[in-house]
Amino acid sequence: MLPRAHPRLLVPLLALALVGALTGCSLFDRDKPGTPQAQPSGGAVGGQPQLEIPATVAAGQVSLIQRLGEDGPLRTLSVERNGAWQCNDCAGDGVTSRGTLAPELTERLQVLLANPALADETDQARRYRTTCIDALTSSLITSTGLITSQDCPGEERTPVAGEILLLLTQATPAEVQG
């Protein structure tokens, strides 16, 4: 019998896998010559500050990471329990936007994030694999786990996470998923 993984380690490992999937780099290709190497979080590459991707979030918080195709800019949106949000590069112009969700949206978001069905929609529970090329990939990081979806034909929508994604994209500058 294999030892059971610690749940606290699961979210950072899933976030690391997401970063690899979104950048198009495999964790197993690092030793090959010419393979791009990941830069440490918060550093600078070519004078540009590196984007910090949250590995975990607390209950009631959510982060959305989006990328169009393998070469598109990486957009991140983080929403606090009180509805305050910050979006990095949402318009693709490198600008950080901030705001606060309306009270009724904040309340609706909290209800959705507390829904027990969300646990069945995580990438791990669904054994999710990205399948489309050049599609908009949206990943929600919740306290329950990572939930990824792609805007491509035949992609099955997760009910609770899909509603969270729609709420976030309609209430902030994050891109709407088709």
Side-chain angles (χ1 to χ4, degrees):
M1 180 179 272
L2 293 172
R4 196 164 186 187
H6 292 284
R8 290 187 312 188
L9 298 176
L10 182 60
V11 173
L13 290 174
L14 288 173
L16 182 61
L18 169 66
V19 170
L22 289 176
T23 60
C25 299
S26 169
L27 295 175
F28 302 106
D29 289 340
R30 290 180 180 233
D31 295 332
K32 290 182 182 177
T35 301
Q37 298 295 310
Q39 298 295 320
S41 237
V45 177
Q48 298 286 353
Q50 280 291 80
L51 184 62
E52 290 193 31
I53 298 173
T56 61
V57 295
Q61 296 177 325
V62 62
S63 289
L64 169 62
I65 301 169
Q66 292 183 310
R67 174 174 268 166
L68 181 59
E70 290 184 14
D71 300 328
L74 193 63
R75 295 186 297 253
T76 64
L77 169 71
S78 297
V79 183
E80 298 296 322
R81 188 169 185 70
N82 66 359
W85 58 264
Q86 176 176 316
C87 193
N88 297 317
D89 201 24
C90 277
D93 57 5
V95 173
T96 298
S97 304
R98 291 178 175 80
T100 304
L101 297 175
E104 62 277 3
L105 292 178
T106 300
E107 183 179 332
R108 178 69 184 140
L109 179 60
Q110 292 307 309
V111 168
L112 291 168
L113 289 171
N115 188 328
L118 199 58
D120 295 330
E121 297 181 10
T122 64
D123 289 0
Q124 182 180 20
R126 295 181 299 146
R127 299 176 191 246
Y128 184 81
R129 300 248 188 306
T130 56
T131 56
C132 295
I133 299 172
D134 291 333
L136 176 64
T137 301
S138 300
S139 298
L140 292 170
I141 301 174
T142 69
S143 61
T144 305
L146 179 67
I147 304 166
T148 304
S149 62
Q150 286 189 297
D151 185 19
C152 58
E155 175 86 13
E156 186 176 320
R157 304 286 182 216
T158 53
V160 180
E163 199 169 332
I164 292 170
L165 181 59
L166 188 60
L167 184 152
L168 295 178
T169 57
Q170 288 180 343
T172 68
E175 186 166 318
V176 176
Q177 184 177 26

